[in-house]
Amino acid sequence: MLRSKLKVLALVPVLALAVAAAGCGKSDTPSGGTTPGAADAPQLLNAGKLTTCTGLPYEPFQFEKDGKVIGFDVELVDLVAKKLNVTQEIVDTPFDGIQSGVDLNSGKCDLAAAGMTITETRKQNFDFSDPYFDATQALVSKKGSGVTDLASLKGKKLAVQNGTTGDEYAKKNAPDVELVTFEDLGLLLNAVETGAVDAGINDNGVLYDWAKKKTDYEVVKEFDTGEQYGIGVKKGNDKLLKVINDTLKEAKSSGEYDKIYEKWFGKKPSK
Ligand code: GLN
């Protein structure tokens, strides 16, 4: 009893310091640079940094390689950071907290870039940039498994990723299938590979990328869910949203977007 009370007391000054430090950070705006002008410069959580929430691994959008987080989304946000004259700092956190808006609203990060689909529900909790990528749900399974669609999974196990549009799609469209929930894509794909589940549902981009390397597995089906990815910011953070949208627009017209796309997907985006 006494011990835990002491612990709490001991924490108070530390917390006070942390709050003061966070307050200091908030009043700092990035300085220098030509665009945006000082008046239009968004307030960043940490001076000199653009803090991004993302859920790793989500290859090829964001994943770790040789101790560095790289990927398609990472490079797009790097362009935003460059425009702000700051550097991007990535916070790896479960996707469910990103998509619910909890992370943005609690000030964990300035923006969220996580291969995240723009949805009506999410739009109620935070704001999205203009769409930057098209996606659809897909099903991955071992070659020769007999899995061809959701109907063929009747009574079998399907891996879903917590809080994703794939999770939602499976709950609605696969009532006779046993859904097994995983916190991230890495765990989901691992379950597919070990045979702990019969198939996995997730976005087409990440599944095709995985099946390219894991040649015993294939994408057996795409569902026409017509999704589009957007970058999330806290509701009302219009200054940052404008910088993101301007950056996306400029990257598309300059050809920079196509270059990044080709680097991570091996082909030009279809228009
Ligand atoms: N695009 C999907 C969604 O928004 C999956 C995103 C992810 O798992 N990172 O739910």
Side-chain angles (χ1 to χ4, degrees), residues 61-134:
F61 296 90
Q62 41 267 320
F63 60 104
E64 236 175 304
K65 200 178 170 189
D66 304 327
K68 264 184 78 182
V69 180
I70 55 173
F72 180 77
D73 285 359
V74 177
E75 289 199 27
L76 286 186
V77 176
D78 271 342
L79 297 179
V80 178
K82 197 167 151 203
K83 204 173 183 65
L84 291 166
N85 266 311
V86 298
T87 49
Q88 177 179 193
E89 188 157 278
I90 292 176
V91 177
D92 176 26
T93 185
F95 182 71
D96 197 37
I98 297 175
Q99 69 86 27
S100 66
V102 165
D103 291 337
L104 286 168
N105 291 329
S106 67
K108 197 181 247 190
C109 41
D110 295 304
L111 59 80
M116 179 164 56
T117 304
I118 302 169
T119 71
E120 284 311 313
T121 313
R122 292 171 184 169
K123 273 197 316 208
Q124 287 168 14
N125 300 320
F126 56 93
D127 294 337
F128 276 102
S129 71
D130 294 335
Y132 68 88
F133 192 87
D134 293 335

Coordinates of all heavy atoms in Angstrom, one line a residue, residues 61-134:
F61 N 4.1 0.1 -47.6 CA 3.8 1.5 -47.3 C 4.6 2.0 -46.1 O 5.0 3.1 -46.1 CB 2.3 1.6 -46.9 CG 1.4 1.3 -48.1 CD1 1.0 0.0 -48.4 CD2 1.0 2.3 -49.0 CE1 0.2 -0.3 -49.5 CE2 0.3 2.0 -50.1 CZ -0.1 0.7 -50.4
Q62 N 4.8 1.1 -45.1 CA 5.8 1.5 -44.0 C 6.2 0.2 -43.4 O 5.4 -0.7 -43.0 CB 5.1 2.4 -43.0 CG 3.7 2.1 -42.6 CD 2.7 2.9 -43.4 OE1 3.0 4.1 -43.7 NE2 1.6 2.3 -43.8
F63 N 7.5 0.0 -43.3 CA 8.1 -1.2 -42.7 C 9.5 -0.9 -42.3 O 10.1 0.1 -42.8 CB 8.0 -2.4 -43.6 CG 8.7 -2.2 -44.9 CD1 9.9 -2.9 -45.1 CD2 8.2 -1.5 -45.9 CE1 10.6 -2.8 -46.3 CE2 8.8 -1.3 -47.1 CZ 10.0 -2.0 -47.3
E64 N 10.1 -1.7 -41.4 CA 11.4 -1.5 -41.0 C 12.4 -2.3 -41.8 O 12.2 -3.5 -42.0 CB 11.5 -1.9 -39.5 CG 12.0 -0.8 -38.6 CD 12.0 -1.1 -37.2 OE1 10.9 -1.5 -36.7 OE2 13.1 -1.0 -36.6
K65 N 13.5 -1.7 -42.2 CA 14.6 -2.4 -42.8 C 15.9 -1.9 -42.4 O 16.1 -0.7 -42.4 CB 14.4 -2.3 -44.4 CG 15.2 -3.4 -45.1 CD 15.0 -3.3 -46.6 CE 15.9 -4.2 -47.3 NZ 15.9 -4.0 -48.7
D66 N 16.8 -2.7 -41.9 CA 18.1 -2.3 -41.4 C 17.9 -1.2 -40.4 O 18.7 -0.2 -40.5 CB 19.0 -1.9 -42.6 CG 19.2 -3.0 -43.6 OD1 19.1 -4.2 -43.2 OD2 19.3 -2.7 -44.8
G67 N 16.9 -1.3 -39.5 CA 16.8 -0.3 -38.5 C 16.1 1.0 -38.9 O 16.0 1.9 -38.1
K68 N 15.7 1.0 -40.1 CA 15.1 2.3 -40.6 C 13.7 2.0 -41.1 O 13.4 1.0 -41.7 CB 15.9 2.8 -41.8 CG 16.9 3.9 -41.4 CD 17.6 4.5 -42.6 CE 16.7 5.5 -43.3 NZ 17.4 6.0 -44.5
V69 N 12.8 3.0 -40.8 CA 11.4 2.8 -41.3 C 11.3 3.5 -42.7 O 11.7 4.6 -42.9 CB 10.4 3.5 -40.4 CG1 9.0 3.3 -40.9 CG2 10.5 2.9 -39.0
I70 N 11.0 2.6 -43.7 CA 10.9 3.1 -45.1 C 9.6 2.7 -45.7 O 8.8 1.9 -45.1 CB 12.1 2.5 -45.9 CG1 12.1 1.0 -45.8 CG2 13.4 3.0 -45.4 CD1 13.1 0.3 -46.8
G71 N 9.3 3.2 -46.9 CA 8.1 2.8 -47.6 C 7.5 4.0 -48.4 O 7.9 5.1 -48.3
F72 N 6.4 3.6 -49.1 CA 5.7 4.6 -49.9 C 5.1 5.8 -49.1 O 5.4 6.9 -49.4 CB 4.5 3.8 -50.6 CG 3.7 4.7 -51.5 CD1 4.2 5.1 -52.8 CD2 2.4 5.1 -51.1 CE1 3.4 5.9 -53.6 CE2 1.7 5.9 -52.0 CZ 2.1 6.3 -53.2
D73 N 4.4 5.4 -48.0 CA 3.8 6.5 -47.2 C 4.9 7.3 -46.6 O 4.8 8.6 -46.5 CB 3.0 5.9 -46.0 CG 1.6 5.4 -46.5 OD1 1.3 5.5 -47.7 OD2 0.9 4.8 -45.7
V74 N 6.0 6.7 -46.1 CA 7.1 7.4 -45.5 C 7.6 8.4 -46.4 O 7.9 9.6 -46.0 CB 8.2 6.4 -45.0 CG1 9.3 7.1 -44.4 CG2 7.6 5.3 -44.1
E75 N 7.8 8.1 -47.7 CA 8.4 9.0 -48.6 C 7.5 10.2 -48.9 O 7.9 11.3 -49.1 CB 8.8 8.3 -49.9 CG 10.1 7.4 -49.6 CD 10.8 7.1 -50.9 OE1 10.8 7.8 -51.9 OE2 11.5 6.0 -50.8
L76 N 6.2 9.9 -49.0 CA 5.2 11.0 -49.2 C 5.2 12.0 -48.0 O 5.3 13.2 -48.2 CB 3.8 10.4 -49.4 CG 3.4 9.8 -50.7 CD1 2.0 9.4 -50.8 CD2 3.8 10.6 -51.9
V77 N 5.3 11.4 -46.8 CA 5.3 12.3 -45.6 C 6.6 13.0 -45.5 O 6.7 14.2 -45.1 CB 4.9 11.6 -44.4 CG1 5.0 12.5 -43.1 CG2 3.5 11.0 -44.5
D78 N 7.7 12.4 -46.0 CA 9.0 13.1 -46.1 C 8.9 14.4 -46.9 O 9.5 15.4 -46.6 CB 10.1 12.2 -46.6 CG 10.7 11.4 -45.6 OD1 10.6 11.7 -44.4 OD2 11.4 10.3 -45.9
L79 N 8.1 14.3 -48.0 CA 7.9 15.5 -48.8 C 7.2 16.6 -48.0 O 7.5 17.8 -48.2 CB 7.1 15.2 -50.1 CG 7.7 14.2 -51.1 CD1 6.7 14.0 -52.2 CD2 9.0 14.7 -51.6
V80 N 6.2 16.2 -47.2 CA 5.5 17.2 -46.4 C 6.5 17.8 -45.4 O 6.5 19.0 -45.2 CB 4.3 16.5 -45.6 CG1 3.6 17.5 -44.7 CG2 3.3 15.9 -46.6
A81 N 7.3 16.9 -44.7 CA 8.2 17.4 -43.8 C 9.2 18.4 -44.4 O 9.6 19.5 -43.8 CB 9.0 16.3 -43.1
K82 N 9.6 18.1 -45.6 CA 10.6 18.9 -46.4 C 10.0 20.3 -46.6 O 10.6 21.3 -46.4 CB 10.9 18.3 -47.7 CG 12.1 18.8 -48.4 CD 12.5 17.9 -49.5 CE 13.2 18.6 -50.6 NZ 13.2 18.0 -51.9
K83 N 8.7 20.3 -46.9 CA 8.0 21.6 -47.2 C 8.0 22.4 -45.9 O 7.9 23.6 -45.9 CB 6.6 21.3 -47.7 CG 6.0 22.4 -48.5 CD 4.7 22.0 -49.1 CE 4.0 23.0 -49.9 NZ 4.8 23.3 -51.1
L84 N 7.9 21.7 -44.8 CA 7.9 22.4 -43.5 C 9.2 22.7 -42.9 O 9.4 23.3 -41.8 CB 7.0 21.6 -42.5 CG 5.5 21.5 -42.7 CD1 5.0 20.4 -41.9 CD2 4.9 22.8 -42.4
N85 N 10.2 22.3 -43.6 CA 11.6 22.4 -43.2 C 11.9 21.7 -41.8 O 12.6 22.2 -41.0 CB 12.0 23.9 -43.0 CG 12.6 24.5 -44.2 OD1 13.6 23.8 -44.7 ND2 12.1 25.6 -44.7
V86 N 11.3 20.6 -41.7 CA 11.5 19.8 -40.5 C 11.8 18.3 -40.9 O 11.8 18.0 -42.1 CB 10.3 19.8 -39.5 CG1 10.0 21.2 -39.1 CG2 9.0 19.2 -40.2
T87 N 12.1 17.5 -39.9 CA 12.3 16.1 -40.3 C 11.1 15.2 -39.7 O 10.5 15.6 -38.7 CB 13.6 15.5 -39.7 OG1 13.7 15.9 -38.3 CG2 14.8 16.1 -40.4
Q88 N 10.8 14.2 -40.5 CA 9.8 13.3 -40.0 C 10.2 12.4 -38.9 O 11.3 11.8 -39.0 CB 9.3 12.5 -41.2 CG 8.2 11.5 -40.8 CD 7.6 10.6 -41.9 OE1 6.6 10.0 -41.8 NE2 8.3 10.6 -43.1
E89 N 9.4 12.2 -37.9 CA 9.7 11.3 -36.8 C 8.5 10.3 -36.7 O 7.4 10.7 -36.6 CB 9.9 12.0 -35.5 CG 10.4 11.1 -34.4 CD 11.1 11.8 -33.3 OE1 12.3 12.2 -33.5 OE2 10.4 12.1 -32.3
I90 N 8.8 9.0 -36.8 CA 7.8 8.0 -36.9 C 7.5 7.3 -35.5 O 8.4 6.9 -34.9 CB 8.1 7.0 -38.0 CG1 8.0 7.7 -39.3 CG2 7.1 5.8 -37.9 CD1 8.4 6.9 -40.5
V91 N 6.2 7.3 -35.2 CA 5.8 6.6 -34.0 C 5.0 5.4 -34.4 O 4.0 5.5 -35.1 CB 4.9 7.5 -33.1 CG1 4.4 6.8 -31.9 CG2 5.6 8.8 -32.7
D92 N 5.5 4.2 -34.0 CA 4.9 2.9 -34.4 C 3.8 2.6 -33.3 O 4.2 2.5 -32.1 CB 5.9 1.8 -34.4 CG 5.3 0.5 -34.7 OD1 4.2 0.4 -35.3 OD2 5.9 -0.5 -34.3
T93 N 2.6 2.5 -33.7 CA 1.5 2.3 -32.7 C 0.4 1.4 -33.4 O 0.2 1.5 -34.6 CB 1.0 3.7 -32.2 OG1 0.1 3.5 -31.2 CG2 0.4 4.5 -33.3
P94 N -0.4 0.6 -32.6 CA -1.4 -0.2 -33.2 C -2.4 0.5 -34.1 O -2.8 1.6 -33.7 CB -2.1 -0.9 -32.0 CG -1.0 -0.9 -30.9 CD -0.3 0.4 -31.1
F95 N -2.7 -0.1 -35.2 CA -3.6 0.6 -36.2 C -4.9 1.0 -35.6 O -5.5 2.1 -36.0 CB -3.8 -0.3 -37.4 CG -4.6 0.4 -38.5 CD1 -4.1 1.4 -39.2 CD2 -5.9 0.0 -38.7 CE1 -4.9 2.1 -40.2 CE2 -6.7 0.6 -39.7 CZ -6.2 1.7 -40.4
D96 N -5.4 0.2 -34.7 CA -6.7 0.5 -34.2 C -6.8 1.9 -33.5 O -7.8 2.6 -33.6 CB -7.2 -0.6 -33.2 CG -8.7 -0.6 -33.0 OD1 -9.4 -0.3 -33.9 OD2 -9.1 -0.8 -31.8
G97 N -5.7 2.2 -32.8 CA -5.7 3.6 -32.1 C -5.5 4.7 -33.1 O -5.9 5.8 -32.8
I98 N -5.0 4.4 -34.3 CA -4.8 5.4 -35.3 C -6.2 5.6 -36.0 O -6.7 6.8 -36.0 CB -3.8 4.9 -36.4 CG1 -2.4 4.7 -35.8 CG2 -3.8 5.9 -37.6 CD1 -1.4 4.2 -36.7
Q99 N -6.8 4.5 -36.4 CA -8.1 4.7 -37.2 C -9.2 5.2 -36.3 O -10.2 5.7 -36.8 CB -8.4 3.4 -37.9 CG -8.8 2.2 -37.0 CD -10.3 2.2 -36.6 OE1 -11.1 2.7 -37.4 NE2 -10.6 1.6 -35.5
S100 N -9.2 5.0 -35.0 CA -10.3 5.5 -34.1 C -10.1 7.0 -33.9 O -11.1 7.6 -33.4 CB -10.2 4.7 -32.8 OG -9.1 5.1 -32.1
G101 N -9.0 7.6 -34.2 CA -8.7 9.0 -33.9 C -8.1 9.2 -32.5 O -7.7 10.4 -32.2
V102 N -8.1 8.2 -31.7 CA -7.5 8.4 -30.3 C -6.1 8.9 -30.3 O -5.8 9.8 -29.6 CB -7.6 7.0 -29.6 CG1 -6.8 7.1 -28.3 CG2 -9.1 6.7 -29.2
D103 N -5.3 8.4 -31.2 CA -3.9 8.8 -31.2 C -3.7 10.3 -31.6 O -3.0 11.0 -31.0 CB -3.0 7.9 -32.2 CG -2.9 6.5 -31.6 OD1 -3.0 6.4 -30.4 OD2 -2.7 5.6 -32.4
L104 N -4.5 10.7 -32.7 CA -4.4 12.1 -33.1 C -5.0 13.0 -32.1 O -4.4 14.0 -31.8 CB -5.2 12.2 -34.4 CG -4.5 11.7 -35.7 CD1 -5.5 11.6 -36.8 CD2 -3.3 12.5 -36.1
N105 N -6.1 12.6 -31.5 CA -6.8 13.5 -30.5 C -6.1 13.6 -29.2 O -6.2 14.6 -28.5 CB -8.2 13.0 -30.3 CG -9.1 13.3 -31.6 OD1 -8.8 14.2 -32.3 ND2 -10.0 12.4 -31.8
S106 N -5.3 12.6 -28.9 CA -4.5 12.7 -27.6 C -3.1 13.3 -27.8 O -2.3 13.4 -26.9 CB -4.4 11.3 -27.0 OG -3.5 10.5 -27.8
G107 N -2.9 13.7 -29.0 CA -1.6 14.4 -29.3 C -0.4 13.5 -29.4 O 0.7 13.9 -29.0
K108 N -0.6 12.3 -29.8 CA 0.5 11.4 -30.0 C 1.3 11.7 -31.2 O 2.5 11.4 -31.3 CB 0.0 9.9 -30.1 CG 1.0 8.9 -29.8 CD 0.3 7.5 -30.0 CE 0.3 6.7 -28.7 NZ -0.1 5.3 -28.9
C109 N 0.7 12.3 -32.2 CA 1.4 12.6 -33.4 C 0.7 13.8 -34.2 O -0.5 14.1 -33.9 CB 1.4 11.4 -34.3 SG -0.1 10.5 -34.3
D110 N 1.4 14.4 -35.1 CA 0.8 15.5 -35.9 C -0.1 14.9 -37.0 O -1.1 15.5 -37.3 CB 1.9 16.3 -36.6 CG 2.8 17.0 -35.6 OD1 2.3 17.8 -34.8 OD2 4.0 16.8 -35.6
L111 N 0.3 13.8 -37.5 CA -0.5 13.2 -38.6 C -0.4 11.7 -38.5 O 0.5 11.1 -37.9 CB -0.1 13.7 -40.0 CG 1.4 13.6 -40.5 CD1 1.6 12.2 -41.0 CD2 1.7 14.6 -41.5
A112 N -1.3 11.1 -39.2 CA -1.3 9.6 -39.3 C -1.2 9.2 -40.8 O -2.0 9.6 -41.6 CB -2.6 9.0 -38.7
A113 N -0.2 8.4 -41.1 CA -0.1 7.9 -42.5 C 0.2 6.4 -42.3 O 1.2 6.0 -41.9 CB 1.1 8.5 -43.2
A114 N -0.9 5.6 -42.7 CA -0.8 4.2 -42.3 C -1.6 3.4 -43.3 O -2.3 2.4 -43.0 CB -1.4 4.0 -40.9
G115 N -1.5 3.7 -44.6 CA -2.3 3.0 -45.6 C -3.7 3.0 -45.2 O -4.4 2.0 -45.3
M116 N -4.2 4.1 -44.7 CA -5.5 4.2 -44.0 C -6.6 4.7 -45.0 O -6.5 5.7 -45.6 CB -5.4 5.1 -42.8 CG -6.7 5.3 -42.1 SD -6.5 6.0 -40.4 CE -5.6 7.5 -40.8
T117 N -7.6 3.9 -45.1 CA -8.7 4.2 -45.9 C -9.6 5.3 -45.3 O -9.9 5.3 -44.1 CB -9.6 2.9 -46.1 OG1 -8.8 1.8 -46.5 CG2 -10.8 3.1 -47.0
I118 N -10.0 6.2 -46.2 CA -10.9 7.3 -45.8 C -12.3 6.7 -45.7 O -12.8 6.1 -46.6 CB -10.9 8.4 -46.9 CG1 -9.5 8.9 -47.1 CG2 -11.9 9.5 -46.5 CD1 -9.4 9.8 -48.4
T119 N -12.9 6.7 -44.5 CA -14.3 6.2 -44.3 C -15.1 7.3 -43.6 O -14.6 8.2 -42.9 CB -14.3 5.0 -43.4 OG1 -14.0 5.3 -42.1 CG2 -13.3 3.9 -43.9
E120 N -16.4 7.2 -43.7 CA -17.3 8.1 -43.1 C -17.2 8.1 -41.6 O -17.2 9.2 -41.0 CB -18.8 7.8 -43.5 CG -19.2 8.2 -44.9 CD -18.8 9.6 -45.3 OE1 -19.1 10.5 -44.5 OE2 -18.2 9.8 -46.3
T121 N -17.1 6.9 -41.0 CA -16.9 6.9 -39.5 C -15.7 7.6 -39.1 O -15.7 8.4 -38.1 CB -16.9 5.4 -39.1 OG1 -17.9 4.7 -39.7 CG2 -17.0 5.2 -37.6
R122 N -14.6 7.3 -39.7 CA -13.3 7.9 -39.3 C -13.3 9.4 -39.5 O -12.8 10.2 -38.7 CB -12.2 7.3 -40.1 CG -11.9 5.8 -39.8 CD -10.9 5.1 -40.7 NE -10.8 3.7 -40.4 CZ -10.2 2.8 -41.1 NH1 -9.6 3.2 -42.3 NH2 -10.1 1.6 -40.7
K123 N -14.1 9.8 -40.6 CA -14.1 11.3 -40.9 C -14.9 12.1 -39.8 O -14.7 13.3 -39.6 CB -14.9 11.5 -42.2 CG -13.9 11.5 -43.4 CD -14.4 12.0 -44.6 CE -15.6 11.9 -45.3 NZ -15.7 12.0 -46.7
Q124 N -15.6 11.3 -39.0 CA -16.3 12.0 -37.8 C -15.3 12.2 -36.7 O -15.5 13.1 -35.8 CB -17.5 11.1 -37.3 CG -18.6 11.1 -38.3 CD -19.7 10.1 -37.9 OE1 -19.6 9.5 -36.9 NE2 -20.5 9.8 -38.9
N125 N -14.2 11.5 -36.7 CA -13.3 11.6 -35.5 C -12.0 12.4 -35.8 O -11.3 12.8 -34.9 CB -12.9 10.2 -35.1 CG -14.2 9.4 -34.6 OD1 -15.0 10.0 -34.0 ND2 -14.2 8.1 -35.0
F126 N -11.7 12.5 -37.1 CA -10.5 13.3 -37.5 C -10.6 13.7 -39.0 O -11.6 13.2 -39.6 CB -9.2 12.6 -37.2 CG -9.1 11.2 -37.8 CD1 -8.4 11.1 -39.0 CD2 -9.5 10.1 -37.1 CE1 -8.3 9.8 -39.6 CE2 -9.4 8.8 -37.7 CZ -8.8 8.7 -38.9
D127 N -9.7 14.5 -39.4 CA -9.8 15.0 -40.8 C -8.8 14.2 -41.7 O -7.8 13.9 -41.3 CB -9.5 16.5 -40.9 CG -10.6 17.3 -40.2 OD1 -11.8 16.8 -40.1 OD2 -10.4 18.4 -39.8
F128 N -9.2 14.1 -42.9 CA -8.4 13.4 -43.9 C -7.9 14.3 -45.0 O -8.6 15.3 -45.4 CB -9.2 12.3 -44.6 CG -9.3 11.0 -43.9 CD1 -10.4 10.6 -43.2 CD2 -8.2 10.1 -43.9 CE1 -10.5 9.4 -42.6 CE2 -8.3 8.9 -43.3 CZ -9.4 8.5 -42.6
S129 N -6.7 14.0 -45.5 CA -6.2 14.7 -46.7 C -7.0 14.3 -47.9 O -7.8 13.4 -47.8 CB -4.7 14.4 -46.9 OG -4.6 13.1 -47.3
D130 N -6.6 14.9 -49.0 CA -7.2 14.3 -50.3 C -6.7 12.9 -50.5 O -5.6 12.6 -49.9 CB -6.6 15.2 -51.5 CG -7.2 16.6 -51.4 OD1 -8.3 16.8 -50.8 OD2 -6.5 17.5 -51.9
P131 N -7.4 12.1 -51.2 CA -7.0 10.7 -51.4 C -5.6 10.6 -52.1 O -5.3 11.5 -53.0 CB -8.0 10.1 -52.3 CG -9.1 11.1 -52.4 CD -8.7 12.4 -51.9
Y132 N -4.8 9.7 -51.7 CA -3.5 9.6 -52.4 C -3.2 8.2 -53.0 O -2.1 7.9 -53.6 CB -2.3 10.0 -51.5 CG -2.1 9.1 -50.3 CD1 -1.2 8.0 -50.4 CD2 -2.7 9.3 -49.1 CE1 -1.0 7.2 -49.3 CE2 -2.5 8.5 -48.0 CZ -1.6 7.4 -48.1 OH -1.4 6.6 -47.0
F133 N -4.1 7.2 -52.7 CA -3.8 5.9 -53.2 C -5.2 5.1 -53.3 O -6.0 5.2 -52.3 CB -2.9 5.2 -52.2 CG -2.3 3.9 -52.8 CD1 -1.2 3.9 -53.5 CD2 -2.9 2.6 -52.5 CE1 -0.6 2.7 -54.0 CE2 -2.4 1.5 -53.0 CZ -1.2 1.5 -53.8
D134 N -5.3 4.3 -54.3 CA -6.5 3.4 -54.4 C -6.3 2.0 -53.9 O -5.2 1.5 -54.2 CB -7.0 3.3 -55.9 CG -7.5 4.7 -56.4 OD1 -7.9 5.5 -55.6 OD2 -7.4 4.9 -57.6

